[in-house]
Amino acid sequence: MFLYKEPNKKISNFKFVLKLIISSVISLGLIKVLMESLFLKILYGKAYMMILATRIGTQIIMLPIQIITIYLLEKAFTPLVKKYLCNEEKIGIDEYLDTFDKFTKDPNLDAMKYLMQKFDNPQDKLKIIHVAGTNGKGSVCEMLSSVLVNANYKVGKFISPHLIKFNDGIYINKVEITNEEVEEIMEELSQHISEYNQTHETPVKWFEAITSLTLIYFAKNNCDFAILETGLGGTTDCTNIVNSLVSIITNVGFDHVDILGNSLEKIAEHKAGIIKPNTDTISVLQETVTEVIRNKCIKENAVLHMVSDENIKNYSYTQELQNFDYKNYKNIEINLKGKVQTYNAAEVLECIDILKEKGYEIPDEAIYTGLKNVIHRARMEKLSDNPLIIFDGGHNESAIMSFKQNIYQYYKDKKKIYIVSNLKTKDYRTNIKLLCEDKDAIFIFTGGNNKHKYVSKEALYNEAKNYLDMNIYKYEFKEALNIAMKAYSDYAIIIVGSFYVYKTACEVIKNDRN
């Protein structure tokens, strides 16, 4: 009982042997010898002490033999016992990850430092390109990864949020991590997480566990590059445990103001926290923000590479592709929608030039092919042609403004119906105000797919009544999409406001087709 109080908890050899010695002394010495002494006294009378001494001597000789025997048997039979006799079920990865808190109001890098040290700091073995910003991070990661993979490099890519399952945020060369690979790493990682939680007041968060898993995975597979998207901010974001080769900061806008601050300057300071000493940083020219980033680069002796309007020329677009020139790159084609993507692509091109200067070979063919063929799900993504269904996860002011420009650019001649959801952590009032400027559209407001995480459909509907008198409705998300597909099949059905309804939307569309 002493040895196997927790049969599914792995203990070190030292701890096991120590427990084995203690339990053997207890069982052989205190129990066997002392319990038998009463009967020895009755049976042998005056010869009691001699017989007792003989038995104690025998047990002392037997003690190391018993310890060695039990140790060897434990090593041989424990796997079989756990497999066939232990009734405790093994917890699944998704179930395990659901036990973690996802947010903290006081982010820091303590947990990441602790966990990475346990694995010999795998982040230091990687060539990392670190991407921060409010919007556009994922697009930059996707485009850069596509180019480098086409250049025959082994590329790890970490983006968030995941859309179907958390695996789809962790890739090596466009192949997502398997459940088996996750379990192999998480088996050891979970033990260190448990140790940390027992000795620290603030437990490890969900994103910290996933980031740790990712860095261990990339290092284990000897990736040539690791492209990391920050989760929240930059300075204290858990991905900021790394020393990056290149830092990229995309558009900076208002989001997570309760943590990052309520001004663009304060938010930019957090984003600029990923800038490392004596490295290269890429950013888009942006009023008030650029000065903050430039000052940080000066402080860290980092070289700043700016993307500005004047270098993006000869822009044109079709329903399929956008076309533009950037500096020495002519006739660049990207299939991501919206002119804002040209700025993201320009940052990628700047990064490619920096890597070339550092000695990496990246042929032009890899650049052009990688940019043209990139896919970024849930960002102006067409989920269906008939009926036309567009999904965009835009959920903050700058993302909604870009989304509106994209809708006008590509679908201005289509009748539109919007299906809107909004997480409680986002500024839904600003989002509703901006969306409702499309006075000719129909709006269906929903409570997303989780009533605890989403603003209620009633609250969204009531907010919309401040701007619209008609063509506004409220339904549950699945019902809203089914109604739109049946009653408005000749409209552009546009799902907007949250990435986390993506999986549900895909399921509804698939069920409708079946």
Side-chain angles (χ1 to χ4, degrees):
M1 289 176 67
F2 181 68
L3 284 174
Y4 296 102
K5 185 178 179 181
E6 298 174 272
N8 277 334
K9 183 178 179 181
K10 186 177 179 181
I11 58 176
S12 68
N13 284 332
F14 174 78
K15 288 183 179 179
F16 178 77
V17 171
L18 183 62
K19 292 175 77 175
L20 179 54
I21 291 171
I22 295 171
S23 61
S24 296
V25 169
I26 292 172
S27 62
L28 289 179
L30 300 180
I31 298 176
K32 186 174 176 61
V33 174
L34 294 180
M35 288 291 288
E36 288 181 352
S37 64
L38 176 63
F39 299 101
L40 293 174
K41 178 73 172 175
I42 296 170
L43 291 172
Y44 295 101
K46 292 182 179 181
Y48 159 67
M49 291 304 297
M50 184 178 69
I51 298 298
L52 181 60
T54 302
R55 284 183 172 263
I56 291 174
T58 302
Q59 298 306 332
I60 290 173
I61 295 171
M62 289 298 297
L63 182 62
I65 297 174
Q66 174 171 314
I67 290 172
I68 294 170
T69 303
I70 292 177
Y71 179 80
L72 294 174
L73 288 174
E74 193 272 343
K75 292 300 178 184
F77 289 109
T78 292
L80 295 175
V81 171
K82 288 184 176 181
K83 184 174 181 181
Y84 295 109
L85 298 181
C86 186
N87 294 322
E88 186 175 343
E89 293 185 5
K90 185 178 180 181
I91 188 172
I93 290 296
D94 289 325
E95 187 179 357
Y96 171 68
L97 291 174
D98 283 344
T99 64
F100 288 80
D101 288 336
K102 290 203 171 183
F103 303 103
T104 177
K105 291 190 175 182
D106 184 26
N108 60 67
L109 296 175
D110 292 347
M112 288 301 301
K113 291 176 181 177
Y114 178 92
L115 296 174
M116 291 299 93
Q117 287 173 357
K118 295 295 183 180
F119 288 87
D120 194 27
N121 291 308
Q123 75 279 9
D124 294 339
K125 302 177 177 69
L126 296 166
K127 301 294 185 184
I128 291 174
I129 300 166
H130 204 181
V131 185
T134 304
N135 302 112
K137 302 188 297 291
S139 297
V140 167
C141 291
E142 293 287 1
M143 286 189 275
L144 184 56
S145 171
S146 183
V147 170
L148 293 176
V149 169
N150 273 275
N152 294 319
Y153 288 103
K154 191 172 188 178
V155 183
K157 177 184 66 183
F158 178 52
I159 57 175
S160 60
H162 63 278
L163 299 174
I164 304 297
K165 54 182 180 177
F166 80 90
N167 308 54
D168 66 33
I170 307 170
Y171 297 83
I172 292 179
N173 282 19
K174 302 183 180 180
V175 178
E176 69 181 40
I177 188 172
T178 65
N179 290 338
E180 292 73 23
E181 290 169 321
V182 171
E183 289 176 4
E184 182 181 349
I185 296 171
M186 194 59 77
E187 183 176 355
E188 182 179 357
L189 179 59
S190 62
Q191 295 173 37
H192 297 304
I193 290 173
S194 179
E195 292 166 2
Y196 180 87
N197 290 347
Q198 290 172 10
T199 56
H200 292 75
E201 183 176 347
T202 303
V204 173
K205 297 295 184 286
W206 185 91
F207 200 69
E208 292 168 336
I210 295 300
T211 303
S212 300
L213 165 71
T214 300
L215 293 170
I216 295 165
Y217 176 59
F218 289 165
K220 180 181 178 182
N221 285 274
N222 299 312
C223 289
D224 297 314
F225 293 101
I227 301 171
L228 301 183
E229 176 184 352
T230 60
L232 193 158
T235 304
T236 54
D237 184 79
C238 61
T239 61
N240 208 29
I241 190 75
V242 305
N243 291 309
S244 53
L245 185 68
V246 180
S247 301
I248 303 176
I249 301 176
T250 64
N251 167 272
V252 174
F254 290 100
D255 201 6
H256 301 291
V257 293
D258 55 328
I259 297 174
L260 303 182
N262 56 7
S263 71
L264 287 181
E265 290 87 351
K266 289 181 180 179
I267 296 172
E269 286 177 7
H270 277 276
K271 308 295 183 184
I274 70 167
I275 298 171
K276 300 300 189 296
N278 307 311
T279 58
D280 291 272
T281 297
I282 304 165
S283 182
V284 175
L285 186 63
Q286 189 178 353
E287 187 177 356
T288 70
V289 169
T290 295
E291 191 63 27
V292 173
I293 295 172
R294 182 178 286 113
N295 289 338
K296 177 66 172 179
C297 285
I298 293 171
K299 181 179 178 181
E300 299 294 347
N301 194 35
V303 179
L304 179 59
H305 307 257
M306 295 300 306
V307 171
S308 61
D309 277 328
E310 62 185 29
N311 291 319
I312 299 175
K313 299 177 179 178
N314 299 321
Y315 172 79
S316 62
Y317 74 96
T318 65
Q319 281 290 334
E320 289 73 36
L321 294 169
Q322 298 188 88
N323 189 291
F324 66 99
D325 299 337
Y326 183 74
K327 293 185 176 179
N328 295 326
Y329 294 99
K330 307 301 180 184
N331 198 30
I332 291 289
E333 294 178 306
I334 55 174
N335 67 355
L336 301 183
K337 295 187 182 300
K339 191 172 182 180
V340 68
Q341 295 292 358
T342 62
Y343 295 95
N344 296 330
E347 288 193 293
V348 171
L349 293 170
E350 288 286 349
C351 184
I352 295 300
D353 284 344
I354 292 169
L355 295 179
K356 284 181 176 180
E357 290 176 5
K358 294 180 181 296
Y360 295 98
E361 293 186 9
I362 306 172
D364 283 352
E365 182 181 356
I367 298 170
Y368 282 84
T369 303
L371 289 175
K372 184 176 181 179
N373 295 333
V374 70
I375 296 172
H376 194 21
R377 294 187 299 168
R379 282 78 170 177
M380 287 298 294
E381 181 186 358
K382 187 189 295 184
L383 298 183
S384 171
D385 285 301
N386 187 22
L388 176 62
I389 302 176
I390 308 300
F391 190 103
D392 191 274
H395 52 259
N396 54 53
E397 182 177 356
S398 55
I400 293 295
M401 291 176 68
S402 294
F403 162 78
K404 288 177 58 183
Q405 292 170 3
N406 295 340
I407 291 298
Y408 179 80
Q409 181 175 347
Y410 291 97
Y411 304 107
K412 62 182 178 181
D413 296 327
K414 289 281 295 183
K415 294 182 291 185
K416 293 175 281 293
I417 179 168
Y418 295 92
I419 299 174
V420 184
S421 311
N422 219 112
L423 286 170
K424 290 180 179 179
T425 56
K426 306 302 177 183
D427 180 9
Y428 77 90
R429 290 185 173 86
T430 298
N431 293 345
I432 295 298
K433 179 181 179 181
L434 291 171
L435 290 171
C436 288
E437 289 175 359
D438 190 346
K439 305 294 184 182
D440 298 323
I442 296 172
F443 290 86
I444 303 180
F445 298 100
T446 85
N449 53 10
N450 187 319
K451 66 180 181 180
H452 301 295
K453 295 180 179 180
Y454 281 85
V455 179
S456 70
K457 60 182 182 294
E458 289 80 13
L460 298 181
Y461 176 85
N462 290 335
E463 185 66 24
K465 287 170 67 175
N466 294 324
Y467 310 103
L468 298 172
D469 297 323
M470 54 187 299
N471 291 333
I472 56 174
Y473 305 91
K474 51 184 177 180
Y475 290 101
E476 297 302 324
F477 180 81
K478 289 183 178 180
E479 189 178 7
L481 185 50
N482 277 313
I483 288 171
M485 289 191 293
K486 299 295 186 297
Y488 301 96
S489 59
D490 57 334
Y491 280 55
I493 302 169
I494 303 163
I495 305 167
V496 66
S498 171
F499 289 112
Y500 295 103
V501 294
Y502 182 89
K503 179 180 179 180
T504 306
C506 291
E507 290 171 351
V508 172
I509 295 168
K510 181 179 178 180
N511 290 337
D512 180 71
R513 288 171 179 166
N514 291 339

